[in-house]
Amino acid sequence: MLKDRFDALREKSALVHNITNYVTVNDVANIELACGGSPIMADDIDDAPEITAICGGLNINIGTLNKNTIPSMFAAGRKAAELGHPILLDPVGAGASTIRTETAVKLMEELPLTVIRGNSSEIKTLALGSGTTKGVDADIADAVTEENLEEQIGFAKDFAAKAGCLVAITGAIDLVADSETCYVIRNGRPEMGRITGTGCQLSGMMTAFIVANPENKLEAAAAAVAAMGLAGEIGWSRMEEGDGNSTYRNRIIDAIFNMDGETLEKGAKYEIR
Amino acid sequence: MLKDRFDALREKSALVHNITNYVTVNDVANIELACGGSPIMADDIDDAPEITAICGGLNINIGTLNKNTIPSMFAAGRKAAELGHPILLDPVGAGASTIRTETAVKLMEELPLTVIRGNSSEIKTLALGSGTTKGVDADIADAVTEENLEEQIGFAKDFAAKAGCLVAITGAIDLVADSETCYVIRNGRPEMGRITGTGCQLSGMMTAFIVANPENKLEAAAAAVAAMGLAGEIGWSRMEEGDGNSTYRNRIIDAIFNMDGETLEKGAKYEIR
Amino acid sequence: MLKDRFDALREKSALVHNITNYVTVNDVANIELACGGSPIMADDIDDAPEITAICGGLNINIGTLNKNTIPSMFAAGRKAAELGHPILLDPVGAGASTIRTETAVKLMEELPLTVIRGNSSEIKTLALGSGTTKGVDADIADAVTEENLEEQIGFAKDFAAKAGCLVAITGAIDLVADSETCYVIRNGRPEMGRITGTGCQLSGMMTAFIVANPENKLEAAAAAVAAMGLAGEIGWSRMEEGDGNSTYRNRIIDAIFNMDGETLEKGAKYEIR
């Protein structure tokens, strides 16, 4: 039950080390606090491995990667691997530039990732070695739809098998898969795409969910995705005349802050395939 | 008509590459999304030129420039120039330190800028080679006022001619000029100065406006300035007892999110001189 | 009177140079603007000393320190020292990694700090050379409580004497001490810990308070702490059904924006020991 995954997170202290972009980092920190986790940011090579060591999991987001932070991602990743900590990779913009694609592929190859979370274009880039990422947003041609759902579920499971980790492809319909099981989640609102960083926030929160649920990682990842989508719905329902994307951002994080396992279970729209 | 410039932006996808400061970057991204644009941030030398290539325009903001990002500004700028993309320069703090002044001047000299947007002290620094910038805020001695308006319009046109690009000087009264025409815009609220980054936000949004209006760059830049000022007025009208600058920030971005061309045309207070 | 310290800040222009982390930097800038100060951020070695020179005080926060910004902290600190500007050190995460601890200790040893502000674990780390910092949050074992208050006041005064500067230990009960006098402040709400960066914001605001009150630094530091806690109370009282930590963040900054010296004096809960 997704409920149990959120309850576990609320009961525990899930310390997450984030090496993430400076665009959305504040919202990532606040949503991790909102869900019951505890964020730390550290991206210097002399700092990152030690910080990872005192945390429970590592969230690597390449959104504003640079020559100083890339080595830190690998160093922290190796330390996390050594300690058996879960590692999430958010390959922001993979497919949009060579360095993003290559870094994401190399992180995938060299680190024992727990989960990769991205939009459909980013994930296709990692799976196929090339993609059609339109900047940091997914290309519509790659989107998961009701029409291609069967095929996309197969793709997600196959890629999970090949990558040896969980795969979360998020968009209008979200897929969270290991090699055998795929959660198909239909929460969320299209307006979430008009806020910067809802994907980054989800990755941060998902890491906290997995840290708190070491025995149920797939369900934990699915719970994080459903929680984010549901928060998008709850946040939208609280929008007033004149509110826009900046206020919507606050309302989504607020909705996570006020959410509990029961609300999540009741509001989650998912099937297991 | 300013209306047409906003309508064009709402209809198109204007992908903007931002090399900007980490202080206000999140708000820049959200206001670009609010106005109908699409932001990408990338500032590593190995990433920036490729990211620029997939975008429609480049927004260079030197607010927290450093030895890693300065070369990226030039490299991305050269790539944008090569591809004929519009380039905006926001010379944050030019006049406040040698490296800021020199970098801004060099960017102006080496890149075929489309527009320079700054406060009066920053622009004076670029025009005269020296300035009295008080940190990142304009010196009151440099301000555009009703008393010195004629002279300031002349200065803006002359500097536009000399720099070979549009010039936007923003403050209580905003001037947006090419060598022959100057929009004088009187939207906005003084309280906008109590929020960090309204200037940075305007620069990001202006780049999106220009990307969407390649045939009407001057009018597009003026439309962005009027839209920002009008959003400041609309946002302020929605302030409730106890609200302050943090909420005001959200309300301004929200106002852009909800604005359309017609609202802009009706609310814009400008004359063409 | 704390009132006078806030009134002085409202009347003056207190330009603060911040070398701070990219997680909470936007909120730091907005709260400095809210309280009547004026923020500038600059962390490149070629920029920081000059920017410090035009400011009134320097706020050094090691939250996302790296090999580029650490030398800038020292260079700006030396320039500030040379000019007699107040310097605040916020040793974020001291005790959590070697580089954080060593950098904070070295900054403390090499710069004539005006005040060190941190949580109890960070301050213990600096005082004792080792600590039990749990990431960027204080260990509960280090907390100031009614039970150990006498002892903690003694510790704060001793450390202030040893460090040769003011010491502000913030948590459920806040202590602001020099070697002889300790303000014990009981404002604030536990929910403030669910927002990222309330400590960073306080450090930024405290620097502005001290810049505006050169003759009353201890009282100015105490006024900043009381103002932050009171803003947490006022902000919380304005929370509506469904609001969470993201909105709470805005409401706290808003409360500072609307606060005046009289409100502070009336709402501050403190004793001098």
Side-chain angles (χ1 to χ4, degrees), chain C residues 13-58:
Chain C
S13 156
L15 218 55
V16 178
H17 176 206
N18 302 277
I19 302 182
T20 188
N21 69 76
Y22 58 79
V23 185
T24 65
V25 59
N26 185 268
D27 293 329
V28 169
N30 272 327
I31 206 162
E32 287 182 352
L33 285 159
C35 73
S38 188
I40 310 181
M41 279 67 180
D43 63 12
D44 190 74
I45 187 86
D46 292 333
D47 195 29
E50 262 186 278
I51 293 293
T52 272
I54 61 165
C55 290
L58 173 62

Side-chain angles (χ1 to χ4, degrees), chain A residues 16 18 27-39 41 59 204-205:
Chain A
V16 177
N18 302 277
D27 294 327
V28 169
N30 273 327
I31 206 162
E32 288 182 351
L33 284 159
C35 74
S38 188
M41 279 65 181
N59 170 32
M205 183 161 69

Side-chain angles (χ1 to χ4, degrees), chain A residues 9-106:
Chain A
L9 176 53
R10 289 285 185 204
E11 281 156 26
K12 293 182 193 178
S13 155
L15 219 54
V16 177
H17 175 205
N18 302 277
I19 302 182
T20 188
N21 68 76
Y22 58 78
V23 185
T24 65
V25 59
N26 185 268
D27 294 327
V28 169
N30 273 327
I31 206 162
E32 288 182 351
L33 284 159
C35 74
S38 188
I40 310 182
M41 279 65 181
D43 63 12
D44 190 74
I45 188 88
D46 292 333
D47 194 29
E50 264 186 276
I51 293 295
T52 272
I54 61 165
C55 289
L58 174 63
N59 170 32
I60 301 177
N61 175 307
I62 66 167
T64 51
L65 83 183
N66 66 52
K67 61 182 83 316
N68 290 322
T69 56
I70 293 171
S72 305
M73 294 173 187
F74 285 94
R78 281 189 293 267
K79 174 60 76 177
E82 190 187 312
L83 299 170
H85 294 177
I87 307 172
L88 179 145
L89 172 63
D90 187 335
V92 181
S97 76
T98 309
I99 195 175
R100 288 172 188 255
T101 305
E102 287 182 355
T103 301
V105 167
K106 215 171 152 211

Side-chain angles (χ1 to χ4, degrees), chain A residues 10 25-26 29-30 33-34 38-47 50 54 68 238 250 253-254 257-258, chain C residues 22-23 27 63 65-68 97-100 135-137 194-196 241-247 249-250:
Chain A
R10 289 285 185 204
V25 59
N26 185 268
N30 273 327
L33 284 159
S38 188
I40 310 182
M41 279 65 181
D43 63 12
D44 190 74
I45 188 88
D46 292 333
D47 194 29
E50 264 186 276
I54 61 165
N68 290 322
R238 296 187 61 237
N250 295 320
I253 298 174
D254 286 354
F257 184 90
N258 288 302
Chain C
Y22 58 79
V23 185
D27 293 329
L65 83 184
N66 65 52
K67 61 181 84 314
N68 290 322
S97 75
T98 310
I99 194 177
R100 287 172 189 254
V136 291
D137 294 316
R194 301 283 301 279
I195 303 169
T196 191
E241 170 113 24
D243 285 350
N245 60 333
S246 191
T247 289
R249 176 258 314 266
N250 296 319

Side-chain angles (χ1 to χ4, degrees), chain C:
Chain C
M1 302 260 291
L2 303 190
K3 175 186 182 310
D4 302 324
R5 306 290 69 83
F6 207 167
D7 289 344
L9 176 53
R10 289 285 184 207
E11 280 155 28
K12 291 181 194 179
S13 156
L15 218 55
V16 178
H17 176 206
N18 302 277
I19 302 182
T20 188
N21 69 76
Y22 58 79
V23 185
T24 65
V25 59
N26 185 268
D27 293 329
V28 169
N30 272 327
I31 206 162
E32 287 182 352
L33 285 159
C35 73
S38 188
I40 310 181
M41 279 67 180
D43 63 12
D44 190 74
I45 187 86
D46 292 333
D47 195 29
E50 262 186 278
I51 293 293
T52 272
I54 61 165
C55 290
L58 173 62
N59 171 32
I60 301 177
N61 175 308
I62 66 167
T64 52
L65 83 184
N66 65 52
K67 61 181 84 314
N68 290 322
T69 55
I70 294 171
S72 305
M73 293 173 189
F74 285 93
R78 279 189 293 266
K79 174 60 76 178
E82 191 186 312
L83 299 170
H85 295 177
I87 307 172
L88 179 145
L89 171 63
D90 187 335
V92 181
S97 75
T98 310
I99 194 177
R100 287 172 189 254
T101 306
E102 287 182 356
T103 302
V105 168
K106 217 172 149 208
L107 285 163
M108 187 173 73
E109 287 171 357
E110 295 194 9
L111 299 177
L113 299 177
T114 306
V115 55
I116 304 172
R117 193 220 61 84
N119 66 41
S120 53
S121 292
E122 292 159 349
I123 300 295
K124 286 235 155 94
T125 297
L126 294 195
L128 311 173
S130 70
T132 55
T133 310
K134 261 186 57 193
V136 291
D137 294 316
D139 194 308
I140 202 156
D142 296 326
V144 178
T145 63
E146 298 296 350
E147 287 67 41
N148 66 16
L149 187 57
E150 197 63 38
E151 181 194 340
Q152 297 271 10
I153 290 171
F155 164 75
K157 290 180 180 177
D158 288 351
F159 180 49
K162 183 185 149 201
C165 67
L166 305 178
V167 171
I169 306 172
T170 56
I173 301 173
D174 306 307
L175 305 180
V176 184
D178 63 15
S179 59
E180 298 189 343
T181 308
C182 184
Y183 283 78
V184 179
I185 302 167
R186 291 186 177 79
N187 288 97
R189 299 261 334 167
E191 294 83 0
M192 296 174 81
R194 301 283 301 279
I195 303 169
T196 191
T198 47
C200 305
Q201 290 173 42
L202 172 52
S203 289
M205 183 161 68
M206 186 182 284
T207 311
F209 267 85
I210 291 174
V211 168
N213 291 281
E215 308 298 327
N216 298 279
K217 294 192 177 88
L218 175 63
E219 199 178 45
V225 170
M228 190 73 200
L230 182 58
E233 296 169 22
I234 294 170
W236 190 257
S237 74
R238 295 187 61 237
M239 294 286 276
E240 293 170 19
E241 170 113 24
D243 285 350
N245 60 333
S246 191
T247 289
Y248 189 29
R249 176 258 314 266
N250 296 319
R251 293 202 192 285
I252 291 174
I253 298 173
D254 287 354
I256 293 293
F257 184 91
N258 288 301
M259 197 179 288
D260 56 18
E262 205 167 338
T263 311
L264 172 60
E265 193 65 50
K266 238 175 86 178
K269 301 177 199 118
Y270 67 101
E271 50 174 330
I272 300 174
R273 300 266 287 253

